[in-house]
Amino acid sequence: AQSVAQPEDQVNVAEGNPLTVKCTYSVSGNPYLFWYVQYPNRGLQFLLKYITGDNLVKGSYGFEAEFNKSQTSFHLKKPSALVSDSALYFCAVRPTGANNLFFGTGTRLTVIP
Amino acid sequence: GAGVSQSPSNKVTEKGKDVELRCDPISGHTALYWYRQSLGQGLEFLIYFQGNSAPDKSGLPSDRFSAERTGGSVSTLTIQRTQQEDSAVYLCASSLAYQETYEQYFGPGTRLTVT
């Protein structure tokens, strides 16, 4: 069965500090990996994706994510957090041949001024 | 350009009533998806349309749920005889094509409350 785990429901970080939002997955084959962000009363916004190649991918708003095949992880990172980064973050995977994304349950990030 | 739009933004209905939720995908996007986001849970896939191909209905939770896509564009998700457990945010997404590498663009969702 396909599954995506975001082990932390809530992450708090001080403004200016680095942030990490964790994601691990269990899927068959070589998945494609995505991060989305959801602001209050808004739909999900695409941040970045890993398809192939360099394990470190860069995306919108200064976010990046590191793909680790051996640990089946795809953690989201940012060197310096902003208060405006406070939102709900979803990790998603799309297994090869699948028609849909499988999502984690989300991590609420709060950046404290 | 315009993103994915959904209507209504909020819908309150009585248990047992039917509801229709509408999605307008991004122009030119051939793939369209419906997901459901329940409180405290991640997003649950419901149904997928790609061009004129038969839809993938594998995520629909019961036969009370159905969806159609007319003319390869607008889609309507219908829930018959609504139940309280149907209360959720229903999200529509579209992507340029069916390939797994393409990101999906999401609408703002329809919040459905069944009383």
Side-chain angles (χ1 to χ4, degrees), chain A residues 3-36:
Chain A
S3 67
V4 181
Q6 292 182 243
E8 300 157 318
D9 292 336
Q10 174 82 42
V11 170
N12 296 325
V13 63
E15 185 177 22
N17 281 3
L19 69 86
T20 298
V21 182
K22 296 179 181 178
C23 172
T24 60
Y25 61 90
S26 175
V27 300
S28 55
N30 295 316
Y32 304 108
L33 302 160
F34 301 81
W35 275 100
Y36 286 84

Side-chain angles (χ1 to χ4, degrees), chain A residues 32 34 36 38 41-46 49 51 88 90 94-106, chain B residues 33 35 37 40-43 45 48 56 58 91 95 97-109 111:
Chain A
Y32 304 108
F34 301 81
Y36 286 84
Q38 186 176 37
N41 301 314
R42 302 278 296 276
L44 276 70
Q45 295 180 30
F46 168 74
K49 65 182 177 182
I51 304 301
L88 187 58
F90 288 95
R94 186 164 181 176
T96 308
N99 286 333
N100 59 284
L101 292 169
F102 293 86
F103 284 86
T105 52
Chain B
Y33 311 78
Y35 292 88
Q37 184 176 18
Q41 300 186 22
L43 278 78
F45 166 71
Y48 157 78
D56 176 356
S58 60
L91 293 169
S95 66
Y98 73 93
Q99 284 93 339
E100 303 99 326
T101 56
Y102 283 102
E103 57 269 26
Q104 297 174 22
Y105 293 86
F106 285 79
R111 182 175 299 278

Side-chain angles (χ1 to χ4, degrees), chain B residues 5-13 18-24 32 34-36 46 65-68 74-79 82 86 88-92 109-113:
Chain B
S5 61
Q6 293 186 245
S7 61
S9 56
N10 282 284
K11 176 71 176 179
V12 180
T13 190
D18 298 351
V19 295
E20 285 189 353
L21 312 180
R22 178 188 168 102
C23 171
D24 282 272
L32 186 146
W34 283 97
Y35 292 88
R36 178 168 70 175
L46 297 177
F65 288 72
S66 63
E68 63 177 19
V74 172
S75 177
T76 302
L77 177 68
T78 300
I79 308 174
T82 52
D86 299 334
V89 177
Y90 289 82
L91 293 169
C92 176
T110 293
R111 182 175 299 278
L112 175 66
T113 303

Side-chain angles (χ1 to χ4, degrees), chain A residues 66-77:
Chain A
E66 186 168 13
F67 170 62
N68 188 316
K69 187 173 183 178
S70 63
Q71 297 185 2
T72 60
S73 68
F74 189 54
H75 300 332
L76 181 70
K77 301 181 180 183

